[in-house]
Amino acid sequence: MQGDYSKIIAKINRQIGSDVKNLSKAQGLIETFKQDFTDTALKLMVNDDTVSSKIKTAIRTGRSICETIDVQQEKVNNFHLRLEEQLNENENILDSTVMGSLGKIRKLEHLYEYFKVLKDISDISDGLKEHLSGKDEQKTISYYLLLCGGLNSSDNIIDRLQYVEAVHLKSYAAETATYWYDVLIDKYSREFEGLLKIIKWPITSPNEVNNTHRDVITKLGVIAEYLFLIKPPGDANDSYVKITPSIICPPISTPIQLLLKPYRQRFLYHFTGTRQTNRLDKPEWFYTQVLSWAKESNLFVSQTFQAAALLAYQENLNVRLEFIRGLVQLTIEKLCNDIEQIAEDEHLFAHLIDETLSFEQELKDTLGYPSTYMSAISVITQPQYIMKWLSAEEKFSTSKMDTMLTIGSPWEFIDPINLEELKIPRCADHFIRLLDAIKERYCNLPQPRHQLQFLNLQLELIDNFRRRMAQLHSSSVNGVSTTKILNAINYLISVLREWGEQVHYLHLHGAIHGTNSEEISLVFDQYIDEFDHWQRQLISELAAKAVNNIKAKSLPYRHDNWITMPTHNLREPLLLSISASEMFQVMVSILHNLETELASNIFDITIRMIAKQIDSFFIYSMILNTKFSSGGTIQFQFDMTRNLFALFGQYVRRPELLFKKVHDACILLTLPSGSAILLQQTLNNCDNTKNEEELTATLKEIGVNNLDHSLALDILDRRNDTTIQ
């Protein structure tokens, strides 16, 4: 429609145009459009004789088709009603007869299946009764597997009834399976224990047993296979042993339980009740006994029964580790009974922690006991005891820190020759050993969150140690010297950086920030930065103090008669200025003491800082405040290059690089008079004839690389043989 309006508007615009005078034509256009409209309407009137026959025919045909469609629609509606009536009638017949018959058929099928399962259970029970006392033990086991199934079997009565809604049938099947499970377990357990008595289990000489009782060992393997195959009906979780709400031990297979039975009896005999071997202060006794049993018998258990487990389709079962786990469970049960009483005494508790950690480490190192298995550590890491452990660690460490900083000679260097360059104070070494001992105690804890708690304790101790060193350094009475503090800081920084790159601490960093963290840092970075900042501050103070002492002794040297010194007699050797002797003596003493007292890397930083300050001092406080004769410049150059540089040359390879400005100043002061005057004129006229780059190149030609042209000109002005142009 919008397009039609546009055409009309365009036509009107063409007729009238943009001239206002043409608006009179509008009435004529209106009349024209009215006439066109009337003519068109007349053409569309069917009854009018003037209307085209084609239009009349089209309209009549359309009306006829519409009438036909209405007739057909009526027929469809009538058919739909008759069809719906027929469907309702058929549905009633289906519901009343067919569905009822189908329901009866299904009930009969369910009943048939029900009685079939009952017959199968009865047949299996009859088969078990028949073969139970016979020699065909394989058949007995097969019947039981048909009833209850095995590890890799699903074609059995219990599994067939898993999703069946037949409560009484399932209960009957479970009761039957439980009955036969108890019967078979009792039968083969008695046979298994009888064979163990023959080989006098527990044994101390596995090789001797293997050689003298080969047939018995073979029979033990066969019976063990049967016992592995005979699984109890019901949920496997029912076999878990819940010692405490947080300590739940996985079930142990029947053969291993039978192997552990005499060990359990011996353990209970020696380490419970009023026996002298049952002492709260001697947990190492039962730990040692369990380790001894495990070491004696674990290989025999593996060699004898691992094959039986494989034949029973238990490929993932490691019988050796399960046997060790059963022994370890004895220690867990005992600790759970004793730990509450032990925890009341902090000394007993600390001893228990040490012995438990030692036991755990021995299990892993000598027997390959996995850290994912339940162990005695799980007892001491229960919430109430892990907090007590942390509290004890903090209390002990704080007390130890006080002792290492106050008792004996805490700031003396430790003895090993290979550590001389680090100049490690005894207290810093003891503190690092203290932190490392804490790490060794907690690094094997299975839970990362427990390890993080101990890491936080380490970080708190590091910060505490830094604060205590700061207090000792700032103490007005017997304060610790800066050099000793610097050596301690230097050692702590080097060790913490090395530790931060260890796998243990990298894992903890990942636990804190996440394994996908883009942040590349170490867990000790914050504390390293604090130590590093303090170290730079102390080095700056130490260097400033040393330079101030040197400056205090430099007054006679700076005020020497440099402007009146005679020209040197080439026949006589140059000697150090008498006025500089006291200054150099102090300098020698300071550098020697610093080298003796500081770690080599800290000494290197300090001596460079001292040299930098002395370099600036001689330029701005002496040379620029002094006038030199030609003899004075030669003497000053000798004092600097052959004495100052030589003194620092004992500690660095190229001392002139430490005194770059003094080195360049000596060149300017000892230039031949003519060359000095020409250079002075060039520098004075720099604004008119030279740019900065050209002046720099000019200075470099004579070996002056570290002075700008303005300072170089000031130094040249200190010569009394040059004339300012």
Side-chain angles (χ1 to χ4, degrees):
M1 291 296 292
Q2 187 65 32
D4 295 340
Y5 289 141
S6 299
K7 292 178 181 179
I8 294 169
I9 292 170
K11 184 175 181 180
I12 293 172
N13 288 334
R14 285 196 302 271
Q15 294 292 330
I16 297 177
S18 60
D19 191 351
V20 177
K21 296 178 180 180
N22 293 332
L23 288 175
S24 59
K25 297 179 181 181
Q27 185 62 37
L29 284 174
I30 293 172
E31 296 299 332
T32 301
F33 288 148
K34 283 183 177 180
Q35 186 60 44
D36 290 344
F37 180 79
T38 302
D39 293 342
T40 303
L42 290 173
K43 289 178 182 179
L44 295 176
M45 293 179 62
V46 178
N47 297 326
D48 195 334
D49 295 337
T50 62
V51 176
S52 171
S53 60
K54 291 183 178 180
I55 295 176
K56 292 180 180 180
T57 303
I59 293 174
R60 291 192 184 100
T61 303
R63 288 174 178 173
S64 175
I65 292 172
C66 289
E67 291 174 358
T68 303
I69 291 173
D70 291 340
V71 171
Q72 295 299 324
Q73 182 65 43
E74 183 67 23
K75 291 180 179 179
V76 170
N77 291 338
N78 292 333
F79 178 77
H80 179 267
L81 292 174
R82 292 197 304 273
L83 180 61
E84 193 173 45
E85 291 175 0
Q86 189 66 36
L87 288 175
N88 290 334
E89 182 180 353
N90 292 338
E91 186 174 352
N92 293 331
I93 296 172
L94 182 65
D95 290 340
S96 61
T97 58
V98 177
M99 294 305 296
S101 301
L102 289 175
K104 292 179 181 180
I105 292 172
R106 291 194 187 97
K107 289 181 180 180
L108 290 173
E109 287 178 344
H110 291 163
L111 190 60
Y112 171 77
E113 291 295 332
Y114 194 96
F115 282 108
K116 187 174 184 299
V117 171
L118 283 176
K119 184 176 186 306
D120 289 343
I121 295 174
S122 177
D123 291 343
I124 291 171
S125 295
D126 292 340
L128 285 169
K129 290 177 183 177
E130 180 182 350
H131 293 87
L132 188 62
S133 58
K135 296 183 178 180
D136 193 353
E137 294 176 333
Q138 289 281 1
K139 197 69 174 177
T140 303
I141 300 300
S142 298
Y143 272 114
Y144 180 77
L145 296 180
L146 288 174
L147 177 63
C148 197
L151 188 66
N152 295 333
S153 174
S154 59
D155 185 19
N156 58 82
I157 299 297
I158 299 296
D159 286 341
R160 283 161 56 187
L161 295 175
Q162 185 175 1
Y163 302 106
V164 175
E165 295 182 3
V167 178
H168 298 294
L169 181 61
K170 290 169 72 172
S171 175
Y172 173 68
E175 290 175 0
T176 304
T178 301
Y179 169 79
W180 284 113
Y181 171 79
D182 293 339
V183 170
L184 295 178
I185 285 294
D186 179 66
K187 167 183 168 59
Y188 292 115
S189 295
R190 282 187 282 103
E191 291 185 22
F192 193 83
E193 289 181 300
L195 296 172
L196 290 178
K197 289 180 180 179
I198 296 175
I199 63 173
K200 297 181 180 178
W201 178 264
I203 58 177
T204 56
S205 301
N207 291 332
E208 182 179 344
V209 173
N210 287 329
N211 293 331
T212 56
H213 299 283
R214 293 183 180 274
D215 294 339
V216 177
I217 298 299
T218 302
K219 184 63 176 176
L220 271 172
V222 173
I223 301 300
E225 179 188 347
Y226 297 157
L227 291 171
F228 282 128
L229 285 168
I230 301 173
K231 294 293 181 182
D235 190 354
N237 293 329
D238 295 339
S239 302
Y240 278 72
V241 178
K242 186 175 182 180
I243 301 176
T244 71
S246 60
I247 301 178
I248 301 174
C249 295
I252 297 175
S253 59
T254 304
I256 304 302
Q257 288 185 33
L258 296 174
L259 291 171
L260 291 169
K261 186 176 179 179
Y263 289 110
R264 175 175 289 276
Q265 292 172 346
R266 293 185 182 187
F267 188 89
L268 294 175
Y269 177 82
H270 290 291
F271 303 114
T272 58
T274 58
R275 296 286 176 185
Q276 293 182 352
T277 49
N278 181 33
R279 292 176 51 176
L280 296 178
D281 62 335
K282 294 293 182 180
E284 61 269 29
W285 286 358
F286 65 81
Y287 281 143
T288 302
Q289 183 62 75
V290 166
L291 282 172
S292 177
W293 288 338
K295 291 175 183 178
E296 287 175 356
S297 303
N298 76 96
L299 292 179
F300 173 80
V301 170
S302 177
Q303 294 169 358
T304 306
F305 303 107
Q306 187 63 54
L310 294 175
L311 291 172
Y313 308 106
Q314 300 196 38
E315 296 87 355
N316 297 325
L317 175 62
N318 188 320
V319 296
R320 184 185 71 85
L321 291 178
E322 188 175 67
F323 173 74
I324 298 172
R325 180 165 64 84
L327 292 175
V328 171
Q329 187 171 321
L330 298 176
T331 66
I332 296 174
E333 293 170 0
K334 175 166 178 57
L335 279 185
C336 288
N337 289 328
D338 295 348
I339 190 169
E340 185 175 355
Q341 186 176 355
I342 292 175
E344 295 175 356
D345 188 313
E346 62 179 13
H347 296 291
L348 290 180
F349 187 67
H351 180 62
L352 173 65
I353 291 172
D354 289 337
E355 293 299 329
T356 302
L357 294 173
S358 177
F359 172 69
E360 179 77 7
Q361 193 62 43
E362 184 73 10
L363 279 175
K364 292 179 179 179
D365 292 344
T366 62
L367 296 169
Y369 193 73
S371 57
T372 54
Y373 277 29
M374 194 66 68
S375 68
I377 282 185
S378 59
V379 181
I380 61 175
T381 54
Q382 293 179 95
Q384 65 272 35
Y385 301 119
I386 191 73
M387 296 307 299
K388 188 173 184 63
W389 181 2
L390 281 165
S391 177
E393 285 280 6
E394 183 178 10
K395 180 179 179 181
F396 169 79
S397 300
T398 303
S399 174
K400 191 74 173 176
M401 194 187 306
D402 291 336
T403 302
M404 67 178 63
L405 286 170
T406 56
I407 305 300
S409 303
W411 298 101
E412 284 186 358
F413 300 150
I414 59 175
D415 295 331
I417 298 176
N418 60 338
L419 296 179
E420 276 188 355
E421 290 189 358
L422 287 176
K423 302 287 193 307
I424 303 172
R426 195 179 304 278
C427 62
D429 178 63
H430 288 172
F431 179 67
I432 288 297
R433 292 176 184 273
L434 175 67
L435 293 179
D436 196 46
I438 295 174
K439 176 247 184 182
E440 290 300 320
R441 282 193 287 273
Y442 79 77
C443 67
N444 289 321
L445 296 182
Q447 294 295 331
R449 59 189 176 87
H450 292 153
Q451 294 193 25
L452 288 175
Q453 288 177 289
F454 282 94
L455 174 63
N456 289 331
L457 173 60
Q458 286 180 297
L459 298 178
E460 290 175 7
L461 291 174
I462 291 170
D463 189 56
N464 196 0
F465 191 74
R466 180 183 61 81
R467 294 176 185 275
R468 294 191 183 209
M469 286 198 301
Q471 292 171 358
L472 291 172
H473 178 249
S474 60
S475 175
S476 58
V477 180
N478 298 325
V480 180
S481 68
T482 301
T483 55
K484 293 176 180 178
I485 296 292
L486 277 172
N487 287 329
I489 294 173
N490 182 56
Y491 180 59
L492 291 172
I493 289 175
S494 65
V495 172
L496 292 179
R497 280 180 177 152
E498 180 183 350
W499 281 1
E501 297 176 355
Q502 293 179 359
V503 174
H504 168 74
Y505 290 109
L506 289 175
H507 283 167
L508 292 182
H509 178 269
I512 296 172
H513 299 286
T515 55
N516 297 324
S517 173
E518 296 181 358
E519 180 183 2
I520 301 175
S521 61
L522 307 177
V523 292
F524 300 109
D525 273 359
Q526 176 187 345
Y527 303 90
I528 292 174
D529 290 343
E530 291 175 356
F531 276 124
D532 195 50
H533 174 75
W534 189 25
Q535 184 185 70
R536 290 195 302 270
Q537 182 181 348
L538 291 179
I539 291 175
S540 179
E541 293 174 359
L542 186 63
K545 182 179 179 182
V547 171
N548 288 337
N549 290 336
I550 294 170
K551 288 179 181 179
K553 300 299 181 181
S554 70
L555 186 62
Y557 184 67
R558 288 185 285 122
H559 292 173
D560 211 340
N561 295 321
W562 297 101
I563 194 171
T564 61
M565 283 187 184
T567 304
H568 173 64
N569 186 351
L570 296 177
R571 295 181 181 179
E572 296 180 0
L574 278 170
L575 299 175
L576 176 68
S577 298
I578 295 175
S579 59
S581 59
E582 191 174 0
M583 178 185 70
F584 274 97
Q585 185 177 357
V586 170
M587 202 179 298
V588 169
S589 176
I590 288 174
L591 295 181
H592 173 73
N593 291 338
L594 290 177
E595 184 194 29
T596 303
E597 296 174 6
L598 286 174
S600 59
N601 61 317
I602 299 298
F603 175 71
D604 289 342
I605 298 172
T606 307
I607 195 174
R608 281 167 170 74
M609 192 174 290
I610 291 173
K612 183 178 180 180
Q613 294 182 33
I614 293 176
D615 190 36
S616 295
F617 171 72
F618 275 120
I619 292 293
Y620 296 104
S621 298
M622 180 181 175
I623 295 177
L624 296 181
N625 292 327
T626 306
K627 277 286 189 176
F628 292 89
S629 65
S630 59
T633 58
I634 296 299
Q635 182 62 49
F636 180 75
Q637 182 195 39
F638 178 80
D639 292 341
M640 296 295 101
T641 59
R642 301 298 296 276
N643 290 278
L644 179 65
F645 293 3
L647 174 58
F648 279 81
Q650 299 177 40
Y651 308 105
V652 295
R653 191 167 61 87
R654 297 186 62 186
E656 67 275 9
L657 297 179
L658 299 180
F659 301 94
K660 294 178 180 180
K661 292 181 180 179
V662 169
H663 176 269
D664 288 359
C666 288
I667 294 175
L668 293 173
L669 291 174
T670 57
L671 275 176
S673 180
S675 300
I677 292 172
L678 288 174
L679 179 60
Q680 188 181 43
Q681 291 174 347
T682 301
L683 297 176
N684 272 323
N685 297 326
C686 64
D687 293 337
N688 298 324
T689 61
K690 302 285 184 180
N691 59 37
E692 189 67 31
E693 292 183 359
E694 291 176 339
L695 293 174
T696 301
T698 301
L699 290 173
K700 285 186 176 181
E701 287 179 2
I702 61 174
V704 177
N705 300 303
N706 303 285
L707 301 176
D708 59 43
H709 74 276
S710 177
L711 184 55
L713 183 59
D714 289 342
I715 293 173
L716 287 172
D717 288 345
R718 299 297 93 199
R719 296 174 55 149
N720 64 1
D721 59 349
T722 58
T723 301
I724 301 176
Q725 299 298 324

